[in-house]
Amino acid sequence: ATIFRILRLLRILRIFRIVRSLKQLYLIAFGFGEAARAIIWVTVFMGFALYVCSVIMARTVGRPEHNDPNHDFLVEHFGSVIHSMFNLFILMAAPDLRKYQEQNDVLWHHPGLLAFLCCYILFGSFGLIALLTGVISESMFEKNHLRRELALLDKEHTRQHLVQNCNTLFDTLETNSEGEADLEDIEDLLPMLGDVMREQGVECTQKDLEHIVEYMDTDHNGSVSWPEFIHAVLFQAEGVRPLSMQEM
């Protein structure tokens, strides 16, 4: 039995590894975890506030005069801290004062109770919803911010690898005294350049590569320098089409 439990635990760990390997799913799970942690702290705060309000109600409204027409009702709902917490929690979850209105006008005989319940519903119920919404939105905002940071890191990582691999390719070309390679030699290099770009997840067709070569020679001298070469490749990697390169 112990071995089977260990195997089940290993399966669960494998699921976590799969989740971490899927970036989008991992970010959603991370944002949900951050929101859950924030909600726990909001729950702790509201529990403390609920307890304080219950103590106040038990020591004031829960101790009515014996000749009060609503004596039994008030003692039943607010006679102890536990009863007060339970009834206040119900009001927090579903703010409805009809029960109090139907009880011999208890709210009008106890204006302090009416004022307290109105404020409690306003801040304890509506305010709690607004607070939870804000907390969850803030957590999701942090998740989106993390997503953008990871996207930037991935982009920079791809850029660095492209520069390194393209530098290796360019070094294989024969260059003149100014360090420039002939356009025909670069055209022969296109298949390898396409493989390098696809390995880094850059979408490019054979037609794109041919157009890139045409626009590499920015000074129109029939040869391409290293800055011209890598400049055109990085433009393609960032999604700038050859026609846009010509316009720029």
Side-chain angles (χ1 to χ4, degrees), residues 71-101:
H71 178 275
D72 295 338
F73 177 83
L74 295 176
V75 171
E76 179 183 357
H77 287 76
F78 304 105
S80 65
V81 175
I82 299 298
H83 289 163
S84 296
M85 291 185 67
F86 178 75
N87 286 282
L88 290 178
F89 178 78
I90 292 176
L91 283 176
M92 181 187 298
D96 187 2
L97 296 178
R98 285 180 297 178
K99 177 174 64 175
Y100 297 88
Q101 291 177 325

Side-chain angles (χ1 to χ4, degrees), residues 63-75:
R63 297 179 180 178
E65 299 291 337
H66 290 286
N67 58 354
D68 193 315
N70 300 298
H71 178 275
D72 295 338
F73 177 83
L74 295 176
V75 171

Side-chain angles (χ1 to χ4, degrees), residues 39-50:
I39 289 174
I40 290 174
W41 284 111
V42 171
T43 303
V44 171
F45 171 75
M46 292 307 301
F48 175 76
L50 182 64

Side-chain angles (χ1 to χ4, degrees), residues 8 31 42 48 58 61 90 101 155-156 161 167 171 193 209:
R8 290 176 182 176
V42 171
F48 175 76
V61 179
I90 292 176
Q101 291 177 325
K155 186 176 180 180
E156 183 62 26
H161 276 272
N167 190 17
D171 288 341
L193 177 59
L209 293 173

